[in-house]
Amino acid sequence: MNKKKILVLFVLLLGSCVIWRSWSLYHTEKEKKQASERKIEAEKDSKPVTSKSEKEEPVKREPTKEELLEQEVEAKIRNMSAEEKVAQLFMITPEALTGVGQVVAAGESTKAALEACPVGGIIYFAQNFESPQQVKQMTANVQQYSRNRIGLPLFLSVDEEGGTVTRFGRNPAFQFDASVNMRELGRTGDTQAAYNLGTKLGTFLSDLGFNMDNAPVADVLSNPQNTVIGNRSFGSDCHMVSDMALAELKGMKDTGVIGVLKHYPGHGATTADTHTGYASTDATLEEMKGNELVPFIEGIRSGAEVIMVAHISCPGITGDTVPASLSKKMITDILRTDLGYQGLVITDALNMGAIAQEYTSGEAAVLAINAGADMLLMPVDFHEAYEAVLSAMQSGEISESRIEESLKRILSLKLCMDAG
């Protein structure tokens, strides 16, 4: 074989080696790359999947006013003793609080009484009022005692409807004209006049240190023989009564005074007087929804803060003679659940004949709380009523959650009132 052929064969052999080596290196690198990619994929699969929302920092939301109020109320309730919780459920006269025959000042006796039993509210009557300055000093003192004792204001209340039910109109020292006739005002249908009445009452009371008024009367005078309500009602047209009562209520609220819509479920159809004894209406629930209940239904829709429950019996609805103020059917089932009311419920005065003649102060107090009432107004014997509710809570006859349900309403309204 000549040298030329040998050279050609050598070149071909060398080329083959180069090609094989390149091919081998290519496949080796390819396999390494594929192995690396498989490893990366395997590592991805082994890691938990993190969503976009999980990667992002949560946005911090500022609590609403309602949430802050709820937190403050719950914190206060957690720090209250059983005795303090029960005391807040009562609105009583200054005489019942102190044991004094006639109270015209708030001094050491009042301070000591509130230290022992920090009640939720005090209601005053004409005998407690001598002059504007005296009333202002009395209300200012008692509020300070309450704030120092329990960190809460008192509801300071009075029955100032104007007209026949007035605590100031007959005292010349106050120069307060309370001569309005609600029936005559109702005949005008002038809601602005009703609003003006509310601002007049509210301005006068607020200046004296009161923050609650047991008015307006929302009773529909459907029974002309009714004497207990009479000219205290705006009239017999339920829609007109509703419009006038709610206008008056708004007038009071605009002055910083809490109005009390009364007397649920409507006292205008009765003939008897619950001040002296048993009174009832035979109306069915549907009949009442079309008449007596209209002002309360509209009041609930308008944001009424307090509703007073009367002592009238409604056998056409409940099937028994239990007064509405002590009836779970009338308060919890109808007022709360059916009509959707979430505000404060206060009883009419528990010293009235319809209650006092049939129940002891302790019995009435326990029944009213279990029925759904939040505050108990003027039991005949405050201390007996207080001890009965406290004992019932400790024994489980009244659940602590039921007590705290009422406390949340009471404290929420007080703190809102304080905040303006």
Side-chain angles (χ1 to χ4, degrees), residues 98-155:
T98 62
V100 175
Q102 181 181 355
V103 173
V104 293
E108 290 304 314
S109 295
T110 302
K111 183 179 179 181
L114 281 174
E115 285 287 338
C117 193
V119 293
I122 297 178
I123 182 169
Y124 293 89
F125 288 83
Q127 68 174 12
N128 305 121
F129 309 139
E130 294 180 337
S131 71
Q133 188 54 45
Q134 167 260 333
V135 174
K136 289 178 185 180
Q137 189 65 60
M138 180 172 63
T139 56
N141 285 359
V142 76
Q143 280 292 27
Q144 192 58 56
Y145 299 151
S146 178
R147 291 180 192 279
N148 292 345
R149 169 62 179 85
I150 200 169
L152 291 167
L154 285 154
F155 289 133

Short mmCIF file of all heavy atoms in Angstrom, two decimals, residues 98-155:
data_model
loop_
_atom_site.label_atom_id
_atom_site.label_comp_id
_atom_site.label_asym_id
_atom_site.label_seq_id
_atom_site.Cartn_x
_atom_site.Cartn_y
_atom_site.Cartn_z
N THR A 98 -81.17 55.38 98.46
CA THR A 98 -80.54 55.85 99.70
C THR A 98 -81.28 55.49 100.97
O THR A 98 -80.70 55.49 102.06
CB THR A 98 -80.41 57.38 99.66
OG1 THR A 98 -81.73 57.96 99.58
CG2 THR A 98 -79.58 57.84 98.47
N GLY A 99 -82.59 55.20 100.84
CA GLY A 99 -83.39 54.94 102.04
C GLY A 99 -83.85 56.21 102.73
O GLY A 99 -84.45 56.16 103.80
N VAL A 100 -83.61 57.36 102.09
CA VAL A 100 -84.03 58.66 102.65
C VAL A 100 -85.45 58.95 102.19
O VAL A 100 -85.84 58.61 101.08
CB VAL A 100 -83.06 59.77 102.18
CG1 VAL A 100 -83.53 61.14 102.64
CG2 VAL A 100 -81.65 59.48 102.69
N GLY A 101 -86.23 59.63 103.04
CA GLY A 101 -87.64 59.90 102.74
C GLY A 101 -87.85 60.80 101.55
O GLY A 101 -88.76 60.57 100.74
N GLN A 102 -87.04 61.85 101.38
CA GLN A 102 -87.17 62.75 100.24
C GLN A 102 -85.77 63.27 99.89
O GLN A 102 -85.11 63.90 100.70
CB GLN A 102 -88.09 63.94 100.55
CG GLN A 102 -88.26 64.90 99.37
CD GLN A 102 -89.16 66.07 99.69
OE1 GLN A 102 -89.75 66.14 100.77
NE2 GLN A 102 -89.28 67.00 98.76
N VAL A 103 -85.35 62.99 98.67
CA VAL A 103 -84.01 63.36 98.23
C VAL A 103 -84.07 64.64 97.40
O VAL A 103 -84.80 64.71 96.41
CB VAL A 103 -83.37 62.23 97.41
CG1 VAL A 103 -82.05 62.70 96.80
CG2 VAL A 103 -83.16 61.00 98.27
N VAL A 104 -83.30 65.64 97.80
CA VAL A 104 -83.20 66.88 97.03
C VAL A 104 -81.74 67.25 96.77
O VAL A 104 -81.44 68.33 96.27
CB VAL A 104 -83.93 68.06 97.72
CG1 VAL A 104 -85.44 67.81 97.73
CG2 VAL A 104 -83.39 68.28 99.12
N ALA A 105 -80.83 66.35 97.12
CA ALA A 105 -79.41 66.58 96.88
C ALA A 105 -78.72 65.23 96.73
O ALA A 105 -79.26 64.19 97.12
CB ALA A 105 -78.78 67.36 98.04
N ALA A 106 -77.53 65.25 96.15
CA ALA A 106 -76.72 64.04 96.03
C ALA A 106 -75.42 64.29 96.77
O ALA A 106 -74.50 64.92 96.26
CB ALA A 106 -76.46 63.71 94.57
N GLY A 107 -75.37 63.80 98.01
CA GLY A 107 -74.19 64.00 98.84
C GLY A 107 -73.60 62.68 99.29
O GLY A 107 -73.59 61.70 98.54
N GLU A 108 -73.15 62.62 100.53
CA GLU A 108 -72.45 61.44 101.02
C GLU A 108 -73.35 60.21 101.07
O GLU A 108 -72.89 59.09 100.82
CB GLU A 108 -71.88 61.73 102.41
CG GLU A 108 -70.71 62.70 102.41
CD GLU A 108 -69.57 62.24 101.50
OE1 GLU A 108 -69.20 61.05 101.57
OE2 GLU A 108 -69.05 63.07 100.72
N SER A 109 -74.63 60.38 101.38
CA SER A 109 -75.54 59.22 101.43
C SER A 109 -75.69 58.60 100.05
O SER A 109 -75.67 57.37 99.90
CB SER A 109 -76.91 59.65 101.96
OG SER A 109 -76.82 60.06 103.30
N THR A 110 -75.84 59.45 99.04
CA THR A 110 -75.97 58.96 97.67
C THR A 110 -74.67 58.30 97.22
O THR A 110 -74.69 57.23 96.59
CB THR A 110 -76.32 60.11 96.71
OG1 THR A 110 -77.53 60.73 97.14
CG2 THR A 110 -76.49 59.61 95.29
N LYS A 111 -73.56 58.92 97.53
CA LYS A 111 -72.26 58.37 97.15
C LYS A 111 -72.06 56.99 97.77
O LYS A 111 -71.64 56.03 97.09
CB LYS A 111 -71.15 59.32 97.60
CG LYS A 111 -69.76 58.88 97.20
CD LYS A 111 -68.72 59.89 97.68
CE LYS A 111 -67.32 59.44 97.30
NZ LYS A 111 -66.29 60.40 97.77
N ALA A 112 -72.36 56.85 99.06
CA ALA A 112 -72.20 55.57 99.75
C ALA A 112 -73.14 54.51 99.18
O ALA A 112 -72.76 53.34 99.03
CB ALA A 112 -72.46 55.75 101.25
N ALA A 113 -74.37 54.92 98.84
CA ALA A 113 -75.34 53.97 98.28
C ALA A 113 -74.88 53.46 96.92
O ALA A 113 -75.03 52.26 96.62
CB ALA A 113 -76.70 54.64 98.16
N LEU A 114 -74.33 54.34 96.10
CA LEU A 114 -73.83 53.92 94.78
C LEU A 114 -72.56 53.08 94.91
O LEU A 114 -72.31 52.20 94.08
CB LEU A 114 -73.57 55.13 93.89
CG LEU A 114 -74.81 55.74 93.25
CD1 LEU A 114 -74.45 57.03 92.50
CD2 LEU A 114 -75.47 54.76 92.28
N GLU A 115 -71.75 53.36 95.92
CA GLU A 115 -70.58 52.52 96.17
C GLU A 115 -71.02 51.08 96.45
O GLU A 115 -70.43 50.13 95.97
CB GLU A 115 -69.78 53.06 97.36
CG GLU A 115 -68.97 54.29 97.07
CD GLU A 115 -67.75 54.01 96.21
OE1 GLU A 115 -67.29 52.86 96.18
OE2 GLU A 115 -67.27 54.95 95.55
N ALA A 116 -72.07 50.96 97.25
CA ALA A 116 -72.56 49.63 97.63
C ALA A 116 -73.30 48.95 96.49
O ALA A 116 -73.19 47.73 96.31
CB ALA A 116 -73.47 49.74 98.85
N CYS A 117 -74.06 49.73 95.72
CA CYS A 117 -74.90 49.15 94.66
C CYS A 117 -74.99 50.11 93.47
O CYS A 117 -75.88 50.96 93.43
CB CYS A 117 -76.29 48.85 95.21
SG CYS A 117 -77.27 47.79 94.13
N PRO A 118 -74.07 50.00 92.51
CA PRO A 118 -74.04 50.93 91.37
C PRO A 118 -75.13 50.62 90.34
O PRO A 118 -74.92 49.96 89.34
CB PRO A 118 -72.65 50.70 90.78
CG PRO A 118 -72.32 49.28 91.13
CD PRO A 118 -72.96 49.03 92.47
N VAL A 119 -76.31 51.14 90.62
CA VAL A 119 -77.47 50.87 89.75
C VAL A 119 -77.26 51.50 88.36
O VAL A 119 -76.40 52.37 88.18
CB VAL A 119 -78.78 51.41 90.37
CG1 VAL A 119 -79.11 50.63 91.63
CG2 VAL A 119 -78.67 52.90 90.65
N GLY A 120 -78.10 51.07 87.42
CA GLY A 120 -77.96 51.56 86.06
C GLY A 120 -78.61 52.89 85.80
O GLY A 120 -78.21 53.63 84.89
N GLY A 121 -79.64 53.24 86.59
CA GLY A 121 -80.33 54.50 86.35
C GLY A 121 -81.09 54.97 87.56
O GLY A 121 -81.41 54.18 88.47
N ILE A 122 -81.39 56.27 87.57
CA ILE A 122 -82.20 56.87 88.63
C ILE A 122 -83.31 57.68 87.96
O ILE A 122 -83.06 58.42 87.00
CB ILE A 122 -81.38 57.78 89.55
CG1 ILE A 122 -80.30 56.96 90.27
CG2 ILE A 122 -82.27 58.46 90.58
CD1 ILE A 122 -79.39 57.77 91.17
N ILE A 123 -84.53 57.52 88.46
CA ILE A 123 -85.66 58.28 87.96
C ILE A 123 -86.12 59.25 89.05
O ILE A 123 -86.24 58.87 90.22
CB ILE A 123 -86.83 57.37 87.50
CG1 ILE A 123 -87.97 58.22 86.94
CG2 ILE A 123 -87.28 56.43 88.60
CD1 ILE A 123 -89.04 57.39 86.23
N TYR A 124 -86.34 60.49 88.66
CA TYR A 124 -86.70 61.54 89.62
C TYR A 124 -88.15 61.97 89.41
O TYR A 124 -88.70 61.86 88.31
CB TYR A 124 -85.79 62.75 89.45
CG TYR A 124 -84.35 62.48 89.83
CD1 TYR A 124 -83.45 61.99 88.89
CD2 TYR A 124 -83.89 62.72 91.12
CE1 TYR A 124 -82.11 61.75 89.24
CE2 TYR A 124 -82.58 62.49 91.49
CZ TYR A 124 -81.69 62.00 90.53
OH TYR A 124 -80.38 61.76 90.88
N PHE A 125 -88.73 62.52 90.49
CA PHE A 125 -90.10 63.02 90.47
C PHE A 125 -90.14 64.44 91.00
O PHE A 125 -89.14 64.99 91.45
CB PHE A 125 -91.01 62.09 91.28
CG PHE A 125 -91.26 60.77 90.59
CD1 PHE A 125 -90.34 59.73 90.70
CD2 PHE A 125 -92.39 60.58 89.80
CE1 PHE A 125 -90.55 58.52 90.04
CE2 PHE A 125 -92.61 59.38 89.14
CZ PHE A 125 -91.69 58.35 89.25
N ALA A 126 -91.33 65.05 90.96
CA ALA A 126 -91.49 66.46 91.32
C ALA A 126 -90.96 66.77 92.71
O ALA A 126 -90.42 67.86 92.96
CB ALA A 126 -92.97 66.86 91.22
N GLN A 127 -91.08 65.82 93.65
CA GLN A 127 -90.63 66.07 95.02
C GLN A 127 -89.12 66.27 95.12
O GLN A 127 -88.62 66.79 96.12
CB GLN A 127 -91.06 64.93 95.93
CG GLN A 127 -90.35 63.62 95.65
CD GLN A 127 -90.69 62.55 96.69
OE1 GLN A 127 -91.61 62.72 97.48
NE2 GLN A 127 -89.94 61.47 96.70
N ASN A 128 -88.39 65.86 94.08
CA ASN A 128 -86.93 65.99 94.11
C ASN A 128 -86.43 67.33 93.57
O ASN A 128 -85.22 67.59 93.59
CB ASN A 128 -86.30 64.86 93.28
CG ASN A 128 -86.74 63.48 93.70
OD1 ASN A 128 -87.30 62.73 92.91
ND2 ASN A 128 -86.50 63.14 94.97
N PHE A 129 -87.36 68.18 93.11
CA PHE A 129 -86.95 69.40 92.42
C PHE A 129 -87.35 70.67 93.18
O PHE A 129 -88.54 70.89 93.44
CB PHE A 129 -87.57 69.44 91.01
CG PHE A 129 -87.34 68.19 90.21
CD1 PHE A 129 -88.36 67.65 89.42
CD2 PHE A 129 -86.12 67.53 90.24
CE1 PHE A 129 -88.17 66.50 88.69
CE2 PHE A 129 -85.91 66.36 89.51
CZ PHE A 129 -86.94 65.85 88.73
N GLU A 130 -86.36 71.48 93.49
CA GLU A 130 -86.63 72.74 94.18
C GLU A 130 -86.31 73.95 93.30
O GLU A 130 -87.05 74.92 93.28
CB GLU A 130 -85.81 72.81 95.47
CG GLU A 130 -86.23 71.77 96.51
CD GLU A 130 -85.42 71.86 97.77
OE1 GLU A 130 -84.28 72.39 97.71
OE2 GLU A 130 -85.90 71.41 98.83
N SER A 131 -85.19 73.88 92.60
CA SER A 131 -84.78 74.99 91.74
C SER A 131 -83.85 74.46 90.66
O SER A 131 -83.27 73.38 90.83
CB SER A 131 -84.04 76.07 92.55
OG SER A 131 -82.77 75.58 92.96
N PRO A 132 -83.68 75.20 89.58
CA PRO A 132 -82.78 74.74 88.52
C PRO A 132 -81.36 74.47 89.02
O PRO A 132 -80.76 73.44 88.68
CB PRO A 132 -82.82 75.89 87.51
CG PRO A 132 -84.18 76.49 87.69
CD PRO A 132 -84.44 76.41 89.16
N GLN A 133 -80.81 75.35 89.81
CA GLN A 133 -79.44 75.18 90.29
C GLN A 133 -79.31 73.95 91.18
O GLN A 133 -78.34 73.19 91.11
CB GLN A 133 -78.98 76.42 91.05
CG GLN A 133 -77.49 76.41 91.42
CD GLN A 133 -76.59 76.16 90.22
OE1 GLN A 133 -76.78 76.76 89.15
NE2 GLN A 133 -75.61 75.27 90.38
N GLN A 134 -80.32 73.76 92.03
CA GLN A 134 -80.31 72.59 92.92
C GLN A 134 -80.34 71.30 92.11
O GLN A 134 -79.62 70.33 92.40
CB GLN A 134 -81.52 72.66 93.86
CG GLN A 134 -81.83 71.38 94.61
CD GLN A 134 -82.97 70.57 93.97
OE1 GLN A 134 -83.85 71.12 93.30
NE2 GLN A 134 -82.94 69.27 94.16
N VAL A 135 -81.16 71.23 91.04
CA VAL A 135 -81.27 70.03 90.22
C VAL A 135 -79.96 69.79 89.46
O VAL A 135 -79.46 68.66 89.39
CB VAL A 135 -82.45 70.14 89.24
CG1 VAL A 135 -82.46 68.95 88.28
CG2 VAL A 135 -83.77 70.19 90.01
N LYS A 136 -79.39 70.86 88.92
CA LYS A 136 -78.12 70.72 88.18
C LYS A 136 -77.02 70.17 89.08
O LYS A 136 -76.24 69.31 88.68
CB LYS A 136 -77.70 72.07 87.61
CG LYS A 136 -78.56 72.56 86.46
CD LYS A 136 -78.11 73.94 85.99
CE LYS A 136 -79.03 74.49 84.92
NZ LYS A 136 -78.59 75.83 84.45
N GLN A 137 -76.95 70.66 90.29
CA GLN A 137 -75.92 70.19 91.22
C GLN A 137 -76.16 68.74 91.60
O GLN A 137 -75.22 67.93 91.68
CB GLN A 137 -75.93 71.06 92.48
CG GLN A 137 -74.74 70.79 93.42
CD GLN A 137 -73.42 71.16 92.78
OE1 GLN A 137 -73.20 72.30 92.42
NE2 GLN A 137 -72.53 70.17 92.65
N MET A 138 -77.42 68.39 91.82
CA MET A 138 -77.77 67.02 92.20
C MET A 138 -77.42 66.04 91.09
O MET A 138 -76.79 64.98 91.34
CB MET A 138 -79.26 66.95 92.54
CG MET A 138 -79.76 65.58 92.96
SD MET A 138 -81.48 65.63 93.55
CE MET A 138 -82.36 66.16 92.06
N THR A 139 -77.80 66.33 89.88
CA THR A 139 -77.53 65.42 88.76
C THR A 139 -76.03 65.34 88.46
O THR A 139 -75.52 64.27 88.12
CB THR A 139 -78.32 65.83 87.51
OG1 THR A 139 -78.01 67.19 87.17
CG2 THR A 139 -79.81 65.67 87.71
N ALA A 140 -75.34 66.47 88.55
CA ALA A 140 -73.89 66.46 88.30
C ALA A 140 -73.16 65.60 89.33
O ALA A 140 -72.27 64.81 89.00
CB ALA A 140 -73.34 67.88 88.31
N ASN A 141 -73.54 65.74 90.58
CA ASN A 141 -72.90 64.97 91.65
C ASN A 141 -73.12 63.47 91.47
O ASN A 141 -72.18 62.67 91.56
CB ASN A 141 -73.43 65.40 93.02
CG ASN A 141 -72.89 66.73 93.47
OD1 ASN A 141 -72.09 67.35 92.77
ND2 ASN A 141 -73.34 67.20 94.63
N VAL A 142 -74.36 63.10 91.23
CA VAL A 142 -74.67 61.67 91.16
C VAL A 142 -74.00 61.02 89.94
O VAL A 142 -73.55 59.87 89.99
CB VAL A 142 -76.21 61.43 91.17
CG1 VAL A 142 -76.85 61.74 89.83
CG2 VAL A 142 -76.53 60.00 91.59
N GLN A 143 -73.88 61.78 88.85
CA GLN A 143 -73.17 61.24 87.68
C GLN A 143 -71.69 61.02 88.01
O GLN A 143 -71.10 60.01 87.61
CB GLN A 143 -73.29 62.19 86.49
CG GLN A 143 -74.59 62.10 85.73
CD GLN A 143 -74.77 60.78 84.98
OE1 GLN A 143 -74.24 59.73 85.36
NE2 GLN A 143 -75.56 60.82 83.92
N GLN A 144 -71.10 61.95 88.72
CA GLN A 144 -69.69 61.81 89.07
C GLN A 144 -69.47 60.62 89.98
O GLN A 144 -68.49 59.87 89.82
CB GLN A 144 -69.19 63.09 89.74
CG GLN A 144 -67.66 63.14 89.87
CD GLN A 144 -66.97 63.04 88.53
OE1 GLN A 144 -67.24 63.83 87.63
NE2 GLN A 144 -66.08 62.08 88.39
N TYR A 145 -70.38 60.41 90.93
CA TYR A 145 -70.25 59.25 91.82
C TYR A 145 -70.29 57.94 91.02
O TYR A 145 -69.53 57.02 91.29
CB TYR A 145 -71.38 59.23 92.85
CG TYR A 145 -71.44 60.44 93.76
CD1 TYR A 145 -72.66 60.87 94.30
CD2 TYR A 145 -70.29 61.15 94.10
CE1 TYR A 145 -72.72 61.97 95.14
CE2 TYR A 145 -70.35 62.25 94.95
CZ TYR A 145 -71.56 62.66 95.45
OH TYR A 145 -71.63 63.76 96.27
N SER A 146 -71.19 57.87 90.04
CA SER A 146 -71.32 56.66 89.25
C SER A 146 -70.06 56.42 88.41
O SER A 146 -69.55 55.29 88.34
CB SER A 146 -72.55 56.76 88.33
OG SER A 146 -72.66 55.61 87.52
N ARG A 147 -69.55 57.47 87.79
CA ARG A 147 -68.35 57.31 86.95
C ARG A 147 -67.15 56.89 87.80
O ARG A 147 -66.36 56.03 87.38
CB ARG A 147 -68.05 58.63 86.23
CG ARG A 147 -69.05 58.98 85.16
CD ARG A 147 -68.69 60.30 84.48
NE ARG A 147 -69.77 60.79 83.66
CZ ARG A 147 -70.03 60.36 82.43
NH1 ARG A 147 -69.28 59.43 81.89
NH2 ARG A 147 -71.05 60.88 81.75
N ASN A 148 -67.04 57.48 88.98
CA ASN A 148 -65.93 57.10 89.86
C ASN A 148 -66.05 55.67 90.35
O ASN A 148 -65.05 54.97 90.51
CB ASN A 148 -65.88 58.04 91.08
CG ASN A 148 -65.48 59.46 90.70
OD1 ASN A 148 -64.97 59.71 89.61
ND2 ASN A 148 -65.71 60.40 91.61
N ARG A 149 -67.29 55.23 90.57
CA ARG A 149 -67.52 53.89 91.13
C ARG A 149 -67.35 52.79 90.10
O ARG A 149 -66.71 51.77 90.35
CB ARG A 149 -68.92 53.82 91.75
CG ARG A 149 -69.40 52.43 92.14
CD ARG A 149 -68.51 51.81 93.20
NE ARG A 149 -68.99 50.50 93.58
CZ ARG A 149 -68.71 49.37 92.93
NH1 ARG A 149 -67.94 49.39 91.84
NH2 ARG A 149 -69.18 48.21 93.36
N ILE A 150 -67.93 52.96 88.91
CA ILE A 150 -67.97 51.85 87.97
C ILE A 150 -67.52 52.23 86.56
O ILE A 150 -67.51 51.40 85.65
CB ILE A 150 -69.40 51.23 87.94
CG1 ILE A 150 -69.36 49.81 87.38
CG2 ILE A 150 -70.39 52.13 87.20
CD1 ILE A 150 -70.65 49.05 87.57
N GLY A 151 -67.15 53.49 86.37
CA GLY A 151 -66.67 53.92 85.07
C GLY A 151 -67.75 54.07 84.03
O GLY A 151 -67.48 54.03 82.82
N LEU A 152 -68.98 54.23 84.49
CA LEU A 152 -70.12 54.37 83.58
C LEU A 152 -71.05 55.48 84.06
O LEU A 152 -71.20 55.68 85.27
CB LEU A 152 -70.93 53.06 83.53
CG LEU A 152 -70.29 51.85 82.86
CD1 LEU A 152 -71.08 50.60 83.18
CD2 LEU A 152 -70.19 52.06 81.35
N PRO A 153 -71.70 56.17 83.13
CA PRO A 153 -72.71 57.15 83.54
C PRO A 153 -74.00 56.46 83.96
O PRO A 153 -74.21 55.28 83.64
CB PRO A 153 -72.93 57.99 82.27
CG PRO A 153 -72.66 57.02 81.16
CD PRO A 153 -71.55 56.13 81.66
N LEU A 154 -74.84 57.17 84.64
CA LEU A 154 -76.18 56.71 84.96
C LEU A 154 -77.15 57.18 83.88
O LEU A 154 -76.94 58.24 83.27
CB LEU A 154 -76.64 57.30 86.29
CG LEU A 154 -76.07 56.73 87.58
CD1 LEU A 154 -76.12 57.78 88.68
CD2 LEU A 154 -76.82 55.48 88.00
N PHE A 155 -78.20 56.43 83.66
CA PHE A 155 -79.35 56.98 82.97
C PHE A 155 -80.09 57.83 84.01
O PHE A 155 -80.53 57.30 85.03
CB PHE A 155 -80.28 55.88 82.45
CG PHE A 155 -79.73 55.09 81.30
CD1 PHE A 155 -79.80 53.70 81.30
CD2 PHE A 155 -79.15 55.72 80.20
CE1 PHE A 155 -79.31 52.96 80.24
CE2 PHE A 155 -78.65 54.99 79.13
CZ PHE A 155 -78.72 53.60 79.15
#
